[in-house]
Amino acid sequence: MRVYFGSEFCEYLIPSKRELINAHEKSLSDGFDFTFVTPPVTDTGVEKLQVLFEYLDSVEMEIEVVANDWGVVTLASRFEFLQPVMGRLLNKMLREPRFNTMYKNSEVPKAPLKIFQNSGISSNFMEIIKRYRIKRIELDNLYQGFGEDLNLHGLDASVYLPYGYIASGRMCYYAAVGRPTEVRFLYGRECQKQCIGNSATMVSEKTADLNNIIQKGNTVFYKQDKTMIDKALQWIKNNRARVVIFEDPIELPAKAFENIEDAEACLSRTFENQRNIFSKSYEN
């Protein structure tokens, strides 16, 4: 098993050096591999990550760094023992919840669907990917599924279950709670991290197919049902991909598995008491 630890979407949630050391040492003592996850950052975030990268590099063992910012990719590649991974935010895929409604009709054209099932990776990226020593790419489990001709250009893949992200940004409704109107959405102010332990379900009055949308922090997620998960697990098995399992959309650590049987067992244990993960209903 592998531990994913860090912040994927918000630099305010970047861990302190002490938190990182504790998480890394615990992973080692438990016999787990360690992956450090990082978000898009400002210059302030780069300074924080510089300190954390220096610590991880000093351990003198290869450690994956999931980067969701090209500047962070560049920074991580400068360290001998850090292995940059192309994060979900850098991998441009069509994460469109309405596909769940649009493509239920068997009469829809299949040619456009094949395009929408592909990753944002193309041959144009390969020079950059080689320059920064990237060997792995992170994928969301798409509503429209992965195409049979999905070309990852030789990169290893990780697939995230059971939450996929739709959109993310600098502005955060949670951080705005309790603030005066004139400063509610100003970026760069101190954050109280109200997103931790809180989430909101977004409900559509037009269709129940969109009622599995969750907002947490500065990011909107979709919650995958059994059909989506089953299809993803089959693709993962066929392509020998890694499975990354989140109990919560943004709160790390997460668990990652190279073995599909271990991943299936973890999914069953993790969600046995949570409704709708292994059902076709979107009721919340």
Side-chain angles (χ1 to χ4, degrees):
M1 195 185 89
R2 176 179 292 271
V3 171
Y4 271 50
F5 178 79
S7 167
E8 193 177 7
F9 299 99
C10 180
E11 72 174 0
Y12 288 119
L13 299 180
I14 293 175
S16 67
K17 183 177 179 180
R18 173 45 55 190
E19 289 171 332
L20 177 62
I21 291 173
N22 289 344
H24 181 241
E25 290 182 344
K26 187 176 190 310
S27 296
L28 293 181
S29 65
D30 290 341
F32 301 145
D33 294 321
F34 187 81
T35 295
F36 183 43
V37 184
T38 64
V41 293
T42 61
D43 290 346
T44 300
V46 170
E47 293 174 1
K48 293 179 180 178
L49 291 179
Q50 174 75 33
V51 174
L52 302 182
F53 288 176
E54 288 173 354
Y55 160 71
L56 292 176
D57 194 60
S58 70
V59 178
E60 297 189 356
M61 59 185 297
E62 185 175 289
I63 295 176
E64 290 182 346
V65 173
V66 176
N68 289 290
D69 182 305
W70 285 112
V72 176
V73 171
T74 304
L75 178 63
S77 69
R78 295 171 181 168
F79 291 88
E80 179 180 0
F81 294 100
L82 302 188
Q83 174 59 58
V85 175
M86 189 173 177
R88 289 191 283 176
L89 276 71
L90 294 184
N91 180 18
K92 305 304 181 182
M93 309 179 79
L94 191 58
R95 302 167 171 90
E96 173 54 77
R98 286 171 291 187
F99 267 110
N100 191 46
T101 301
M102 294 162 59
Y103 280 89
K104 279 185 174 179
N105 184 348
S106 61
E107 298 179 359
V108 298
K110 302 304 179 186
L113 179 60
K114 290 184 177 181
I115 297 175
F116 298 145
Q117 289 176 326
N118 278 314
S119 165
I121 288 296
S122 69
S123 58
N124 297 330
F125 270 96
M126 294 315 296
E127 182 179 344
I128 297 174
I129 286 172
K130 291 177 180 178
R131 181 190 311 167
Y132 293 119
R133 302 184 285 106
I134 295 173
K135 300 177 182 179
R136 177 174 293 277
I137 183 171
E138 311 288 272
L139 307 173
D140 268 313
N141 181 22
L142 303 177
Y143 276 97
Q144 62 271 30
F146 300 125
E148 295 179 2
D149 58 347
L150 178 64
N151 187 353
L152 299 179
H153 298 275
L155 296 175
D156 293 327
S158 305
V159 180
Y160 284 62
L161 304 176
Y163 298 99
Y165 101 93
I166 300 172
S168 186
R170 300 282 187 198
M171 300 297 100
C172 178
Y173 284 105
Y174 288 78
V177 173
R179 294 185 183 276
T181 302
E182 61 273 15
V183 297
R184 186 168 295 168
F185 294 109
L186 289 181
Y187 188 77
R189 292 180 174 271
E190 183 178 355
C191 178
Q192 302 300 317
K193 302 180 181 179
Q194 297 96 322
C195 58
I196 300 299
N198 295 292
S199 62
T201 300
M202 304 176 71
V203 178
S204 170
E205 296 181 356
K206 295 183 178 179
T207 172
D209 290 329
L210 298 182
N211 290 347
N212 61 334
I213 308 301
I214 299 169
Q215 179 163 357
K216 192 168 179 67
N218 62 345
T219 307
V220 179
F221 301 87
Y222 57 89
K223 191 176 182 180
Q224 302 158 25
D225 66 7
K226 176 175 171 33
T227 300
M228 289 182 68
I229 292 174
D230 286 346
K231 288 181 179 179
L233 289 173
Q234 186 59 52
W235 185 91
I236 290 165
K237 184 176 181 179
N238 293 342
N239 291 273
R240 299 181 180 179
R242 176 186 295 171
V243 186
V244 184
I245 300 173
F246 281 78
E247 294 187 30
D248 183 278
I250 68 170
E251 294 178 28
L252 299 177
K255 300 173 183 177
F257 301 89
E258 312 292 340
N259 182 287
I260 192 69
E261 288 76 19
D262 291 341
E264 290 174 325
C266 180
L267 281 168
S268 296
R269 291 193 305 269
T270 301
F271 300 108
E272 62 183 350
N273 294 320
Q274 294 187 17
R275 293 184 302 166
N276 308 322
I277 291 297
F278 286 106
S279 74
K280 295 183 179 180
S281 170
Y282 290 121
E283 180 184 358
N284 285 288

